[in-house]
Amino acid sequence: MIFIVTDLLHSIVSIIKLISVMVLLTGLFLNLKDLTLSILTKNAEQVKTVKNRLGGIVLLGLEILIIADIVETIINPTFDEIALLAAIVAIRTAISYFLNKEIQETQ
């Protein structure tokens, strides 16, 4: 029974990571045209707008990955896994903080 639940949770973690990748790629593809046009026309204001949208998408992708890491650590709560989770969350939180700060400064 425990093996079934563990396998199910591993599958859920994989799905969550896949969702994060899908969010990132979808956001990139949806904004690629606007980004390309704004760069070609040298429209700095539009570049900022697209950059902010992409930054928001990256933030969302990072948050989804943190969820996957937390679930993964719940499955296998060894000290090494907890330390790794803490490091990953700290790095992703720092990236999110500075990215969010940059987005707010450009608005």
Side-chain angles (χ1 to χ4, degrees), residues 6 18 20 50 56 95 100 107:
T6 303
L18 181 63
S20 176
V50 175
I95 291 170
N100 197 20
Q107 287 181 340

Side-chain angles (χ1 to χ4, degrees), residues 17-104:
K17 288 180 179 180
L18 181 63
I19 290 170
S20 176
V21 171
M22 288 172 36
V23 165
L24 293 170
L25 290 177
T26 301
L28 173 65
F29 290 129
L30 290 176
N31 288 286
L32 199 56
K33 181 190 80 149
D34 291 338
L35 181 62
T36 304
L37 289 175
S38 61
I39 290 172
L40 291 176
T41 59
K42 298 180 181 177
N43 184 344
E45 197 60 40
Q46 183 65 20
V47 171
K48 284 183 191 177
T49 301
V50 175
K51 186 178 171 184
N52 287 345
R53 285 195 313 239
L54 287 171
I57 291 164
V58 170
L59 287 172
L60 179 60
L62 286 172
E63 295 298 325
I64 294 170
L65 284 174
I66 289 172
I67 293 168
D69 290 335
I70 291 170
V71 173
E72 205 164 31
T73 302
I74 291 170
I75 297 169
N76 187 19
T78 64
F79 181 74
D80 290 340
E81 287 292 322
I82 293 170
L84 181 62
L85 174 65
I88 290 170
V89 169
I91 291 167
R92 288 185 181 156
T93 301
I95 291 170
S96 295
Y97 172 78
F98 288 111
L99 186 57
N100 197 20
K101 187 175 180 180
E102 183 179 336
I103 289 170
Q104 289 176 352

